[in-house]
């Protein structure tokens, strides 16, 4: 599915979100800034897609960033985008459920709008935990449940009716943009996701609602 929409993915992300998605990714980088500032730190961006978060992390400091995704056409766009900005970073083709990295490799790991697409959220967390160093931080950016009733109603109409229509027209794949609201509706809400992170073994699990809870940023730490 992501191979089909790769060419239009960035355009539609920014258009359909009114560029709010860029602000959300910058917030992830800001939250991890103490780690990103360290030139000896390694940060893994899982399900990196076309590399927007990887790039935001790269711009956030001195840390070495590694992007991973299993969709080659998305990665190809990430590679050329990063080189357009004058950077080069490793983009690895691999599975988030079987990460090709040794245990305890990274100071931080991120996953933006990727967790929802995994066949098992629990298995995804298990892998993220495994590759983090003790004390390492995980940041999960994902669509969530708006807390405000009015915003929730308006957003629901937009997300379930208009977005599949425009997304389908521009990308040529209505099913991919129908999948988006469908997958969000089956995804755990803020509290449930935080509980899953704790159950997976993360500690200091917190979350922050973004844009009234349309998205949320969950953070956790691998225990020592
Ligand atoms: C909605 S995109 C998000 C891309 C990017 N993180 C962003 O913020 O725009 C979801 C990405 O997850 C990737 N993905 C889904 N399941 C995966 C898996 N099991 N392993 C690796 N990547 C996966 C897809 O290929 C796609 O690029």
């Amino acid at each position: 599915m992501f191979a089909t929409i790769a060419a239009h993915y960035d355009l539609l992300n920014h258009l359909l979100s009114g560029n709010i998605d860029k602000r959300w990714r910058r917030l992830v980088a800001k939250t991890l800034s103490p780690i990103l500032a360290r030139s000896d730190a390694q940060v893994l961006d899982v399900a990196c897609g076309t590399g927007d978060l990887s790039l935001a992390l790269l711009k956030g400091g001195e840390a070495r960033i590694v992007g991973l995704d299993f969709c080659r056409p998305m990665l190809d766009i990430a590679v050329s985008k990063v080189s357009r900005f004058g950077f080069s970073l490793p983009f690895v083709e691999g599975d988030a459920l079987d990460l090709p990295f040794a245990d305890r490799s990274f100071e931080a790991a991120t996953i933006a709008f990727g967790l929802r697409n995994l066949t098992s959220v629990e298995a995804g967390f298990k892998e993220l935990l495994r590759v983090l160093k003790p004390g390492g931080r995980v940041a999960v950016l994902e669509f969530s449940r708006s807390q405000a009733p009015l915003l929730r109603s308006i957003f629901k109409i937009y997300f379930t009716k208009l977005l599949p229509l425009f997304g389908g027209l521009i990308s040529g794949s209505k099913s991919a943009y129908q999948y988006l609201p469908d997958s969000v509706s089956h995804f755990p809400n803020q509290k449930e996701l935080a509980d899953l992170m704790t159950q997976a073994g993360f500690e200091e699990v917190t979350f922050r609602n973004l844009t009234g809870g349309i998205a949320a940023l969950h953070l956790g730490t691998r225990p020592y």
Side-chain angles (χ1 to χ4, degrees), residues 2 9 13 25 47-49 68-71 74 94-96 112-114 117-118:
F2 286 101
Y9 178 81
N13 260 359
R25 291 190 191 83
C48 65
L68 174 134
D69 203 284
F70 69 3
C71 179
M74 295 287 270
D95 188 352
F113 310 109
N117 301 298
L118 304 184

Side-chain angles (χ1 to χ4, degrees), residues 33-194:
S33 57
I35 296 172
L36 296 175
R38 291 172 40 196
S39 58
D40 63 335
Q42 291 213 92
V43 178
L44 176 64
D45 182 24
V46 176
C48 65
T50 56
D52 276 359
L53 179 57
S54 310
L55 196 55
L57 298 170
L58 196 63
K59 289 175 178 171
E62 302 287 315
R64 179 174 187 263
I65 314 298
V66 179
L68 174 134
D69 203 284
F70 69 3
C71 179
R72 189 75 248 170
M74 295 287 270
L75 285 177
D76 288 343
I77 292 170
V79 171
S80 53
K81 183 188 297 174
V82 163
S83 77
R84 269 205 312 280
F85 280 88
F87 300 113
S88 145
L89 60 89
F91 282 110
V92 178
E93 191 172 336
D95 188 352
L97 300 178
D98 186 16
L99 292 170
F101 306 107
D103 298 359
R104 303 171 177 227
S105 295
F106 295 93
E107 273 71 16
T110 59
I111 181 162
F113 310 109
L115 194 64
R116 180 173 34 87
N117 301 298
L118 304 184
T119 48
S120 163
V121 170
E122 289 84 354
F125 279 145
K126 201 173 156 203
E127 274 299 85
L128 287 165
L129 193 73
R130 181 183 69 74
V131 300
L132 278 175
K133 292 182 179 172
R137 302 278 282 153
V138 68
V140 180
L141 175 62
E142 199 36 277
F143 286 109
S144 202
R145 300 285 192 290
S146 167
Q147 307 298 298
L150 182 62
L151 177 64
R152 191 164 56 225
S153 306
I154 295 169
F155 183 69
K156 190 175 174 193
I157 295 169
Y158 172 70
F159 208 51
T160 59
K161 306 277 182 227
L162 298 178
L163 184 139
L165 183 70
F166 291 122
L169 280 174
I170 297 173
S171 72
S173 173
K174 187 165 183 201
S175 60
Y177 284 87
Q178 185 58 56
Y179 163 81
L180 177 55
D182 289 351
S183 61
V184 173
S185 72
H186 293 111
F187 192 68
N189 67 25
Q190 289 88 330
K191 169 81 174 61
E192 290 163 346
L193 191 63

